Amino acid sequence: MKILSIDGGGMKGLVPALVLAAFEARTGQAVARHFDLIAGTSTGGIIALGLAAGIPAVRMAEFYLERGSAIFSQTLKQRLKSLGGIADELYDAGELEVALSDVFGDRLLSSAQTRAMAVAYDIEAREVVLFTSWGGRDDYRLADVGRATSAAPTFFEPFAITSLSGRVTPCIDGGVVANNPARLALLAAMGMDSRLDGFALISLGTGRCEKPILFEAARSYGLAQWAPQLVDVMFSGQSELVHQDCRASLAGQYVRLQAELPGVVDMDATDARSLAVLKLAAKRLAESPEAARALALVGATA
């Protein structure tokens, strides 16, 4: 079984979207044709749903380039109301919801052409939610699943997703439990086929630039100083642990594609410089030996 897993990272989702668009241009085939399962968290969940639904990767890249600035924009009212994310979410989710509806239309999760999985977190039941296109008792609009998996705390308000049968699940971004969903994707695939020797797993990150937290400064940190650091520490540490686990489990059947960014790019950055950094990082990653190995592993050739 061939699995594609895509990390969360807000606007940095442009990196895996462009890498996958380059793969499609190189092979002349849709990415989904080479995988049996496509999984993602948050921004990666949106990309995964799109690819599994048959939407070209270049169209998913356009989602970020064309809609990102509107999604991550603040009215004066919202800016004053949120107090920088302290008193309320930073952004109104309306633009995100419109953009998701434009991309996915009325498509349903069950209509995915390739098995799809998106990760979210149920804040009332306090448990991971895996929205899958197979074997579930409930079906959902893809646009709603995209909203649920990307409901990042402090950025957007939680989303109460409603299934076609009327079941309501209050969700936040799956990144709080699995920003790198590769291990969850592998476990889901093992539920269909338990033979590890038959697996190939490609894991796509959204770019990394980890600033050191200097000990002398951190000694005097309180909540205000730690709060903006902890999300990055949690995401990067968790993703690295999943990477090490998958590498140990699958060895040569696993490839991790992660771009090294020359500077920090925020999850909500839509300025020209940040987009240029992400585009360059994606180009370099798509042309790397690791990318060629990933294509070979799933039998994709130009």
Side-chain angles (χ1 to χ4, degrees):
M1 182 171 287
K2 299 172 184 176
I3 309 162
L4 174 62
S5 172
I6 310 171
D7 289 12
M11 276 298 296
K12 293 190 293 183
L14 179 61
V15 172
L18 287 174
V19 169
L20 294 170
F23 285 0
E24 289 188 341
R26 190 177 307 169
T27 63
Q29 296 178 320
V31 166
R33 290 192 58 183
H34 300 287
F35 293 95
D36 303 298
L37 168 62
I38 305 177
T41 294
S42 190
T43 197
I46 293 172
I47 298 170
L49 295 170
L51 296 175
I55 299 172
V58 68
R59 178 69 189 93
M60 298 312 299
E62 290 168 353
F63 174 84
Y64 296 91
L65 295 171
E66 296 175 359
R67 309 303 288 268
S69 59
I71 291 170
F72 293 108
S73 65
Q74 282 185 313
T75 62
L76 176 60
K77 179 181 178 181
Q78 185 66 22
R79 189 177 300 117
L80 294 173
K81 178 184 175 185
S82 71
L83 297 178
I86 296 174
D88 201 352
E89 64 275 359
L90 282 167
Y91 304 105
D92 186 321
E95 289 291 345
L96 173 60
E97 291 170 3
V98 169
L100 290 170
S101 291
D102 287 348
V103 168
F104 294 125
D106 294 326
R107 291 180 178 91
L108 299 178
L109 182 58
S110 62
S111 71
Q113 300 170 18
T114 301
R115 291 187 187 93
M117 185 178 86
V119 184
Y121 185 75
D122 183 334
I123 56 175
E124 291 189 357
R126 297 296 294 269
E127 62 185 18
V128 178
V129 181
L130 301 180
F131 294 102
T132 64
S133 62
W134 73 95
R137 59 176 176 169
D138 290 307
D139 202 3
Y140 300 87
R141 292 177 63 247
L142 279 185
D144 289 342
V145 179
R147 173 70 174 88
T149 188
S150 61
T154 75
F155 287 90
F156 303 110
E157 66 180 19
F159 182 67
I161 187 171
T162 304
S163 72
L164 297 189
S165 65
R167 184 184 181 198
V168 179
T169 307
C171 291
I172 60 172
D173 193 305
V176 300
V177 288
N179 199 56
N180 177 347
R183 185 62 180 172
L184 288 179
L186 181 60
L187 290 173
M190 289 176 66
M192 301 175 227
D193 183 353
S194 61
R195 299 169 303 160
L196 273 179
D197 60 351
F199 283 88
L201 172 59
I202 308 302
S203 174
L204 258 172
T206 55
R208 178 177 63 187
C209 178
E210 298 174 355
K211 294 189 304 181
I213 300 173
L214 299 179
F215 175 71
E216 287 302 324
R219 290 175 64 188
S220 60
Y221 278 5
L223 179 61
Q225 292 82 15
W226 270 117
Q229 308 278 358
L230 286 178
V231 172
D232 183 56
V233 170
M234 180 180 70
F235 281 6
S236 62
Q238 175 198 104
S239 293
E240 181 62 22
L241 182 61
V242 170
H243 166 54
Q244 297 294 343
D245 186 18
C246 289
R247 186 168 63 179
S249 299
L250 295 174
Q253 300 160 261
Y254 166 75
V255 176
R256 171 72 167 165
L257 298 177
Q258 179 68 291
E260 296 293 337
L261 303 179
V264 175
V265 176
D266 293 330
M267 291 172 59
D268 55 351
T270 59
D271 60 283
R273 178 193 170 280
S274 294
L275 293 180
V277 167
L278 295 176
K279 289 177 184 178
L280 180 58
K283 182 176 185 297
R284 289 174 173 170
L285 185 58
E287 295 171 352
S288 69
E290 291 81 6
R293 190 160 70 87
L295 285 172
L297 185 59
V298 297
T301 57

